[in-house]
Amino acid sequence: MFYDPEVPERAYHVGYVAQSQTPYHNLNPGYRVYTIDGHYEDSSYRVLDTENWVLDLDEANENDNPRFYQLYSAKEAYGMTDLLPASWNNLVDQMKEPNSTVFDEFFKYYTKDARPYREEGCSEDCKSFILCRLVSSDTSDKSHCDGL
């Protein structure tokens, strides 16, 4: 998330980071498909939705039949009407609540539903670290991490 320097509580941009296609650090390989509003006069070129596809390595190794499947669509998974910065900021607000089921789903998607992370889970320190990374586009400024 990027926040307005003049109005620090206003999210004004989202930086999308595609997932790794390699099974780095106990993760399933995956890729992301972006749906963009574009290629017509006066289009916004905003991200309208993202689909995240993964390959379950445990399943592929067990069945010797690798297949990618859609893990989630951002709009559908989080019940968002749009992917504007304010909507993502509202999602972070929901995730920071204690015992947030929204965060639990986010963590599942964040870890590409990889078995090691499902088994390990995410402690409060883990949750704070992840949420802080979401709201800190500038690593030298952790002011948005307060209260997470």
Side-chain angles (χ1 to χ4, degrees), residues 10-148:
R10 185 179 85 81
Y12 75 94
H13 193 64
V14 176
Y16 289 95
V17 179
Q19 55 192 340
S20 169
Q21 293 182 353
T22 62
Y24 176 74
H25 195 63
N26 296 322
L27 294 173
N28 291 319
Y31 63 92
R32 179 174 290 161
V33 176
Y34 294 92
T35 302
I36 307 295
D37 174 44
H39 199 58
Y40 61 88
E41 190 173 330
D42 297 326
S43 60
S44 68
Y45 293 99
R46 291 188 182 273
V47 175
L48 300 175
D49 199 6
T50 66
E51 294 177 2
N52 290 265
W53 294 73
V54 297
L55 179 135
D56 184 322
L57 285 177
D58 289 334
E59 177 185 288
N61 289 329
E62 184 177 303
N63 300 325
D64 198 28
N65 185 22
R67 69 176 181 88
F68 278 88
Y69 65 92
Q70 184 179 346
L71 182 60
Y72 72 100
S73 143
K75 282 178 69 174
E76 183 180 314
Y78 303 123
M80 300 168 78
T81 57
D82 58 55
L83 300 187
L84 295 173
S87 298
W88 283 112
N89 195 61
N90 289 339
L91 184 69
V92 171
D93 286 342
Q94 292 173 37
M95 289 193 291
K96 71 181 180 183
E97 293 299 319
N99 304 312
S100 170
T101 57
V102 176
F103 179 80
D104 294 342
E105 282 297 301
F106 177 83
F107 183 71
K108 172 184 172 181
Y109 303 144
Y110 179 80
T111 60
K112 297 190 279 188
D113 200 23
R115 178 189 41 78
Y117 289 101
R118 278 195 316 266
E119 292 172 355
E120 183 179 314
C122 186
S123 67
E124 286 302 312
D125 287 342
C126 163
K127 178 179 175 178
S128 293
F129 175 77
I130 290 171
L131 292 178
C132 183
R133 289 184 64 193
L134 292 177
V135 299
S136 299
S137 57
D138 177 355
T139 57
S140 69
D141 178 11
K142 302 284 188 195
S143 60
H144 283 94
C145 298
D146 297 339
L148 295 176

